[in-house]
């Protein structure tokens, strides 16, 4: 198992910066703002440039409940599994501005 570095400052051509976003994909703070460095675009969801945003906040910038985040994580996992040519570097999604703890978020990424 590989873990994403705490502070990502560089991406290789095959790496995708995966971060927590809001449903409007306004990249104003945190990892979402950093994602602009690697091609994230305001208002654009999914795989954009060398980034993938997973919504953890709604359109009013309120934290989403875990069951809603799960839907977005499932979409991300489907994308990641369909693109084995990429290495997805997943930041601590949902543990910053969304306010969850890693113990709450980690189970959402569990695959069978």
């Amino acid at each position: 198992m590989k873990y994403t570095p705490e502070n990502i400052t560089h991406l290789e051509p095959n790496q995708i910066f995966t971060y927590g976003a809001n449903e409007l994909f306004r990249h104003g703070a945190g990892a979402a703002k950093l994602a602009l460095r690697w091609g994230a675009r305001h208002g654009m969801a999914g795989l954009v440039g060398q980034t993938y945003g997973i919504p953890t906040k709604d359109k009013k910038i309120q934290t989403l409940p875990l069951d809603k985040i799960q839907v977005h994580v499932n979409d991300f996992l489907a994308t990641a599994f369909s693109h084995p040519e990429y290495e997805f570097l997943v930041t601590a999604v949902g543990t910053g501005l969304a306010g969850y703890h890693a113990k709450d978020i980690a189970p959402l990424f569990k695959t069978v």
Side-chain angles (χ1 to χ4, degrees):
M1 179 178 291
K2 292 172 74 175
Y3 291 93
T4 300
E6 186 71 27
N7 295 309
I8 299 169
T9 58
H10 171 78
L11 291 179
E12 296 298 325
N14 69 320
Q15 292 179 321
I16 306 297
F17 181 78
T18 307
Y19 62 97
N22 60 65
E23 292 180 323
L24 289 175
F25 289 88
R26 298 273 186 215
H27 308 302
K33 188 172 182 179
L34 181 60
L36 293 168
R37 172 190 272 184
W38 294 295
R41 297 286 179 251
H42 294 292
M44 294 182 68
L47 194 55
V48 180
Q50 282 185 265
T51 70
Y52 190 102
I54 298 174
T56 58
K57 291 195 167 221
D58 65 16
K59 292 177 180 176
K60 295 181 181 180
I61 318 301
Q62 300 300 309
T63 298
L64 289 169
L66 290 172
D67 64 322
K68 301 270 189 197
I69 296 172
Q70 181 71 73
V71 172
H72 295 299
V73 168
N74 291 347
D75 291 341
F76 161 70
L77 291 172
T79 299
F81 288 126
S82 69
H83 288 282
E85 71 274 20
Y86 295 132
E87 178 182 17
F88 289 84
L89 303 179
V90 182
T91 62
V93 171
T95 63
L97 299 173
Y100 285 107
H101 297 282
K103 68 178 178 58
D104 302 316
I105 295 293
L108 303 181
F109 287 86
K110 184 177 180 182
T111 58
V112 178

